[in-house]
Amino acid sequence: MEPSVNPFVALLRCTSCRFTIFYALPFFAALAGAGQASVGWGMFSLAYWWLHSTGTEAANRLSDRHEDAINRPERTAMCAQLGWGRLRAALVAAWAGVAVLDVFLVVARPSVALAVLLVLSAASALGYSYGPRLARHRAVAPLLLTFHFGGTFITGWVVAHPQTDDTASGGFLREVGPFVVVSCATLLALGGSKDITDVSGDEAIGYRSGWIALVRRHGAWLTWALVMSTFALTAAFVVAGLLPERWLWIVVLLPLAVRLRQCLWTAATPLERAVTRELFYHYWIAYLCVAVLLYAPGPATALAVLVAALLWLIASNTLHWGTGVDRTFVRTVIRLGRRATRPPQLPDHRREGVA
């Protein structure tokens, strides 16, 4: 490794440390909704889910070296610069830390449901890249992505309600079921956006993204359906009385959703696909910030959202293997937003494998 590159910084970058926010914010929101938000739990959330995220991403980098060399040469080069041996050591250290904190959680909040959830979260994270390699199963991989919200939020809810009678009474379904459904459906509908830059490497190992295949087959209308599903589901739950009327404020995300849809459908060059993929991640963090505020409005949640948003932006621009929100990103998003249809001079999406 070059002397100028700090190994810890390189680790943060190549393991996408910003993803910690995806895990930590829903977990903390569940505690806030139960009136148990605190600085201590906030710090625990960041520490625990950073270890979990680092362990998950390190496993993925190690298992996907072949396809990543095609899809993500810059990230693979960073991993090589860090050293594959260091990355393996980080993998072991991260999961050891998770195990220690799992014991702490179960001792602090005794619950069979919590213990099962913690075991399943570790098993699914490792199984995504090793063993059954669930990341290569077209039907299973998208479902596992919903753990970024559903799994972490449910874990936080069980931590806040450790008594089995609370869980068995159906309190979870009545209190937060619709919220979890809408959020997981949003991630399930749009999570395949991350695959639009990975077609070549995925094909090299015989994997075909189900999301990409569906968008190829059904065209422009499906991208509209995917981005609008969040708003349609939310409105349906509000009309049915299963979500409070304040949830209609989710509409503030509509302009960004429309722009994401336009980018998903018209992106054709490698740069445009990379920018669209990045836009999806920013849309998801924006959704999380709005959704948790609607779920548990109050000063604690507002502060958590502010911290999460700041950490996300800082990590995206300084501690990520890719480029952040720079001029190229903004200009590309604006250009794609103005493009009514796929321009004829750009490669056909079907030949290129891009939605």
Side-chain angles (χ1 to χ4, degrees):
M1 176 174 292
E2 297 177 7
S4 60
V5 179
N6 183 290
F8 183 66
V9 172
L11 175 66
L12 292 176
R13 287 176 176 164
C14 69
T15 57
S16 301
C17 67
R18 64 179 184 164
F19 287 175
T20 300
I21 304 303
F22 289 156
Y23 297 90
L25 187 55
F27 178 86
F28 185 81
L31 292 164
Q36 298 182 33
S38 68
V39 173
W41 275 120
M43 298 300 291
F44 177 89
S45 300
L46 288 173
Y48 179 85
W49 292 111
W50 174 68
L51 289 172
H52 197 288
S53 177
T54 298
T56 301
E57 298 300 317
N60 184 259
R61 303 296 177 267
L62 289 164
S63 68
D64 291 357
R65 287 175 63 177
H66 176 68
E67 54 266 43
D68 278 355
I70 301 172
N71 294 329
R72 296 280 177 272
E74 69 277 36
R75 188 172 69 189
T76 302
M78 187 171 292
C79 290
Q81 188 180 47
L82 170 66
W84 296 106
R86 283 194 178 104
L87 194 57
R88 291 189 189 92
L91 168 68
V92 173
W95 285 111
V98 169
V100 170
L101 293 179
D102 281 347
V103 172
F104 167 80
L105 271 177
V106 174
V107 170
R109 300 293 173 92
S111 167
V112 173
L114 177 59
V116 170
L117 279 170
L118 295 176
V119 170
L120 287 177
S121 69
S124 63
L126 290 171
Y128 187 80
S129 298
Y130 289 113
R133 303 206 73 173
L134 299 174
R136 298 186 179 182
H137 293 263
R138 295 176 72 177
V140 177
L143 292 174
L144 283 181
L145 287 177
T146 62
F147 177 81
H148 283 74
F149 174 82
T152 59
F153 179 85
I154 293 170
T155 301
W157 194 89
V158 174
V159 168
H161 304 79
Q163 299 303 315
T164 55
D165 59 341
D166 288 339
T167 305
S169 68
F172 174 79
L173 292 177
R174 291 193 305 270
E175 182 182 340
V176 298
F179 170 46
V180 172
V181 170
V182 172
S183 300
C184 288
T186 299
L187 190 52
L188 189 61
L190 296 173
S193 304
K194 72 180 186 61
D195 294 332
I196 67 174
T197 58
D198 296 349
V199 175
S200 298
D202 288 345
E203 288 181 348
I205 61 169
Y207 175 77
R208 301 290 188 277
S209 167
W211 192 91
I212 293 290
L214 284 172
V215 173
R216 282 187 195 173
R217 186 176 305 119
H218 298 290
W221 73 266
L222 182 59
T223 52
W224 276 117
L226 292 173
V227 299
M228 295 304 294
S229 61
T230 301
F231 308 98
L233 271 175
T234 301
F237 280 131
V238 170
V239 170
L242 298 175
L243 283 174
E245 289 186 2
R246 67 173 181 271
W247 270 92
L248 294 177
W249 280 103
I250 200 74
V251 74
V252 300
L253 293 170
L254 187 57
L256 186 57
V258 170
R259 184 53 55 94
L260 175 60
R261 182 267 159 191
Q262 291 170 317
C263 292
L264 285 171
W265 180 239
T266 62
T269 68
L271 171 63
E272 289 171 352
R273 298 169 199 159
V275 166
T276 298
R277 185 179 192 269
E278 185 70 5
L279 181 61
F280 157 69
Y281 284 123
H282 289 293
Y283 177 76
W284 177 243
I285 199 67
Y287 170 84
L288 279 182
C289 288
V290 173
V292 300
L293 275 173
L294 293 174
Y295 167 70
T301 309
L303 180 60
V305 163
L306 178 61
V307 171
L310 288 174
L311 289 176
W312 172 263
L313 290 174
I314 292 170
S316 294
N317 284 281
T318 63
L319 293 173
H320 188 53
W321 54 266
T323 57
V325 182
D326 55 13
R327 289 183 179 179
T328 300
F329 174 87
V330 173
R331 288 172 178 172
T332 303
V333 169
I334 293 173
R335 183 174 69 252
L336 290 174
R338 291 173 176 170
R339 185 182 293 168
T341 59
R342 174 169 45 85
Q345 71 270 21
L346 292 176
D348 187 274
H349 289 320
R350 294 178 184 272
R351 293 199 304 269
E352 289 293 305
V354 176

